[in-house]
Amino acid sequence: MSKHIRLKGGAVTFQHIDSPVGRLLLASGEDGLRLIEFQAPWHPVAMDGDWREGDNGVLLETRKQLSEYFDGIRQEFDLPLAPHGTPFQLQCWHTLALIRWGETWSYGQMARHMGQPTATRAVGAANGRNPLPIVLPCHRVIGADGSLTGFGGGLPTKEFLLNLEGALPRRVPIDDLFAM
């Protein structure tokens, strides 16, 4: 099985932007935003077919909303989304959209919410292929024990995003504990 993901269905407009979590690739089709890809993705998109570097209304609005998110102003995204995946993946990604700013769910909670309590590993695999991280917040899904587990942007990025949202307890350096 190929590690690369292929986007199907017409022309794709793309651009790269800089962000607090590194360079991101944004891509949209006529149907909406299709991709936000980190600099070193686990499952990179194969840029074959009709890919054009450029700008359009969807990418402009995505840049604006991502900027507001990173500035701590925006807690929900309002973008036309067009992720392509299997029916199970789409169900998982739809469920991700239910996890609110500042909250975390475990993979098991997510599977139970989907009515498939034994699908914890499948949920993890689908989240690993989420083509719209940050907007569909797979970073908000953590291990059952509260640990930060796999994330396509890397665990430091996941920790950064969760800290931005106030979803992780503030860590107090050990020296500060003894100074109190």
Side-chain angles (χ1 to χ4, degrees), residues 27 34 102 107 133:
R34 292 178 146 192
Y107 294 93

Side-chain angles (χ1 to χ4, degrees), residues 20-96:
V21 294
R23 196 156 173 81
L24 300 174
L25 169 65
L26 307 179
S28 70
E30 292 178 10
D31 48 354
L33 185 65
R34 292 178 146 192
L35 178 71
I36 297 173
E37 186 176 81
F38 293 106
Q39 200 161 356
W42 287 355
H43 303 286
V45 166
M47 293 176 71
D48 53 4
D50 191 6
W51 281 69
R52 303 176 193 138
E53 190 164 8
D55 204 359
N56 60 33
V58 171
L59 295 179
L60 176 68
E61 187 61 24
T62 301
R63 285 194 317 272
K64 176 182 173 276
Q65 290 189 29
L66 283 171
S67 178
E68 292 169 350
Y69 169 81
F70 286 121
D71 287 343
I73 298 166
R74 177 171 291 277
Q75 296 184 3
E76 295 179 8
F77 292 91
D78 183 20
L79 297 165
L81 305 181
H84 291 237
T86 67
F88 182 79
Q89 288 172 330
L90 292 169
Q91 181 186 14
C92 285
W93 302 337
H94 176 77
T95 302
L96 287 172

Side-chain angles (χ1 to χ4, degrees), residues 43 89 93 107 120-130:
H43 303 286
Q89 288 172 330
W93 302 337
Y107 294 93
T120 302
R121 287 180 185 238
V123 164
N127 286 353
R129 296 233 177 220
N130 174 12

Side-chain angles (χ1 to χ4, degrees), residues 38 42 151-159:
F38 293 106
W42 287 355
F151 181 65
L155 293 182
T157 298
K158 184 172 190 159
E159 184 174 20

Side-chain angles (χ1 to χ4, degrees), residues 92-163:
C92 285
W93 302 337
H94 176 77
T95 302
L96 287 172
L98 303 176
I99 307 172
R100 300 174 149 275
W101 167 282
E103 291 181 354
T104 58
W105 288 12
S106 71
Y107 294 93
Q109 282 176 289
M110 197 170 156
R112 285 189 299 278
H113 183 85
M114 294 169 54
Q116 300 192 44
T118 61
T120 302
R121 287 180 185 238
V123 164
N127 286 353
R129 296 233 177 220
N130 174 12
L132 297 170
I134 303 171
V135 172
L136 294 177
C138 52
H139 62 277
R140 296 178 187 156
V141 183
I142 60 174
D145 63 357
S147 63
L148 301 187
T149 58
F151 181 65
L155 293 182
T157 298
K158 184 172 190 159
E159 184 174 20
F160 174 87
L161 296 172
L162 290 172
N163 278 323

